[in-house]
Amino acid sequence: MEFDALLLSRLQFAFTIAFHILFPAFTIGLAAFLAVLEGLWLWTRRDAFKVLYLFWVKIFALSFGMGVVSGVVLSYQFGTNWSEFIRLTGGVIGPLLAYEVLTAFFLEASFLGVMLFGWKKVGPRLHFLATVLVAVGTTVSAFWILSANSWMQTPQGFEIMADGTLRATDYMAVIFNPSLPTRLAHMLLAAFLTTGLVVGAASAYRVLKERAKGAVEGWTESRIALVMAVSLVAVLSPLQLVAGHLSGEATHKYQPAKTAAIEGYWETRADQPLHLFGIPDRKAQRNHLQVSIPGFGNVVQNLPRDEVIQGLDAWPREDQPPPFIPFFGFRIMVGLGLLMIVLGTSGAVLVWRRKLFETPWFLRFCVVMGPSGFIAVLAGWMVTEVGRQPWVVQGVLRTRDAVSPVTASEVATSLIAYVVVYAIVFTAGALFILRLMAEGPAAAAAEPAPRQDRAPGSPLAKAPRDTTPEEGA
């Protein structure tokens, strides 16, 4: 492995996008959760929903801000490290990224201020509308980003010009490319599950604290949030299994080399086995320490057992994706998905039996599973991006032809700078968010009103206020 400008640019982009994707994966679901909480408060006027909103909106504001900052870095790297990619494909992919800014980002930016600072300045229905529109904006943003990335996986609706640049001939075909529907559903479900698992972990932690201090009667804010989170995971985790299977079928149809890398298939044959474990060896073109179920590979992919499935031997070695990361990344993602189903199913049973808050092992299970959504998202994106190699646009543009004419030392310098800055800034942000979560919703409800800066009766005296988003965000 030679650490040239190409490899270092790939490592730098992988590092920065790995940080960035954690925040949208969380804020997409959290924005929807906030909209649900405010809607329930307007419907029931139950203070617990308002307290939960005021608590989680602080965490949303911090996460959203860090997501915006880390996203800006990615856009700069297109010009600094991947200028050839932009020069050749900008006529197709550029408008998709512009649409994301013109629609989703402007929508979020316009109403985020009302959502965070308008609790006392606008009516409750208008404030609720702002929260809903921010949630819609995060979903629209995911649509455009997934559309651009999916086009890189399954490109269509374009032509190659004489100078090698790409020009769109059918933008509807570009936007709604073959892999978009399943990948969009898979990503949105992943975002909602990630949020549900974080909310469930924070709430379970608070319930355990309540139990340690003595029995707590009634429905506290943490208990309400825990039931909501468990219910969400119970419903969405099986749907995610279905969405993942459909995404896998689309991958098998349009990116068979990626499927072969994911499944560890080296030989083109019918009646493929299902490899549960193995260590792919690209040099030897085989798997070491392989544990398999014979003939079950075709069954998992919903294909007849006599249908031939291509192995990596169907492509020259220079066209084979590196199988190690897709192989293990896929199994990590699936394993965590199965644990989410176990969590949701067991939690639903405990809710039905009214023993959710009196089952310490399940509460600890929720806490442990808190970061699993982030890990699954990272594993899934690694499978998607590494499995597409050696192409940056599948079958059209190789990754080595998309890099900027920069030196390895220049990229190494910027990579070290990114690592240092990210380690300081985002570690501090993550620790602050964790501290807020540990304090719990009760801390938001117990915040004191601002002191008066003038004597009572003075026309400049400040009237006490309830805790509002502008105080906490």
Side-chain angles (χ1 to χ4, degrees), residues 194 205 236 278 286 310 350 378 455 468:
T194 298
Y205 176 80
L236 294 189
R286 62 185 296 265
Q310 289 178 302
L350 290 173
L378 285 176
T468 62

Side-chain angles (χ1 to χ4, degrees), residues 181-252:
T182 55
R183 294 188 67 234
L184 179 62
H186 197 43
M187 184 63 205
L188 289 178
L189 287 172
F192 295 141
L193 282 169
T194 298
T195 300
L197 290 163
V198 172
V199 172
S203 303
Y205 176 80
R206 294 306 309 171
V207 173
L208 285 169
K209 288 293 185 182
E210 292 171 0
R211 287 174 53 85
K213 294 178 181 179
V216 177
E217 299 295 334
W219 286 86
T220 64
E221 292 83 2
S222 294
R223 294 186 174 206
I224 293 173
L226 180 59
V227 172
M228 294 176 70
V230 167
S231 302
L232 179 75
V233 174
V235 173
L236 294 189
S237 54
L239 293 178
Q240 181 69 311
L241 186 65
V242 175
H245 178 72
L246 294 176
S247 182
E249 289 185 344
T251 300
H252 171 72

Side-chain angles (χ1 to χ4, degrees), residues 123-139:
R125 289 181 175 82
L126 181 56
H127 190 274
F128 174 60
L129 177 63
T131 304
V132 170
L133 290 176
V134 169
V136 171
T138 59
T139 303

Side-chain angles (χ1 to χ4, degrees), residues 58-101:
K58 301 177 186 179
I59 297 170
F60 174 81
L62 288 167
S63 303
F64 187 88
M66 288 192 287
V68 170
V69 171
S70 58
V72 170
V73 172
L74 294 175
S75 63
Y76 279 118
Q77 286 183 74
F78 283 128
T80 58
N81 296 65
W82 302 99
S83 59
E84 282 298 294
F85 168 70
I86 293 299
R87 185 182 71 83
L88 296 172
T89 68
V92 177
I93 207 169
L96 302 184
L97 301 178
Y99 296 154
E100 191 266 341
V101 174

Side-chain angles (χ1 to χ4, degrees), residues 262-416:
I262 290 171
E263 301 296 345
Y265 296 153
W266 295 99
E267 179 186 358
T268 299
R269 52 173 282 193
D271 201 19
Q272 290 276 14
L274 175 64
H275 298 315
L276 300 177
F277 180 80
I279 301 177
D281 187 338
R282 191 178 188 183
K283 185 177 181 180
Q285 297 281 288
R286 62 185 296 265
N287 299 324
H288 302 289
L289 303 177
Q290 185 170 282
V291 179
S292 308
I293 302 177
F296 207 65
N298 284 52
V299 175
V300 168
Q301 297 192 43
N302 200 27
L303 298 172
R305 295 187 63 170
D306 59 352
E307 182 171 329
V308 174
I309 296 179
Q310 289 178 302
L312 290 171
D313 62 359
W315 292 270
R317 291 201 180 194
E318 63 269 18
D319 291 342
Q320 295 176 359
F324 190 88
I325 292 177
F327 185 86
F328 283 104
F330 178 77
R331 279 148 186 80
I332 291 171
M333 179 177 62
V334 172
L336 290 174
L338 294 176
L339 286 176
M340 293 174 196
I341 292 176
V342 172
L343 176 70
T345 303
S346 56
V349 172
L350 290 173
V351 170
W352 178 65
R353 296 179 62 185
R354 299 185 179 181
K355 294 184 176 180
L356 181 67
F357 312 125
E358 288 74 39
T359 311
W361 70 264
F362 179 78
L363 297 176
R364 296 188 183 95
F365 185 28
C366 288
V367 174
V368 171
M369 286 292 289
S372 62
F374 295 113
I375 299 172
V377 167
L378 285 176
W381 272 90
M382 289 179 184
V383 170
T384 299
E385 300 307 305
V386 177
R388 187 186 61 222
Q389 298 303 316
W391 305 95
V392 67
V393 179
Q394 183 72 46
V396 178
L397 178 63
R398 290 183 180 271
T399 307
R400 66 169 182 250
D401 298 325
V403 70
S404 299
V406 292
T407 64
S409 60
E410 290 173 331
V411 183
T413 301
S414 60
L415 175 57
I416 293 171

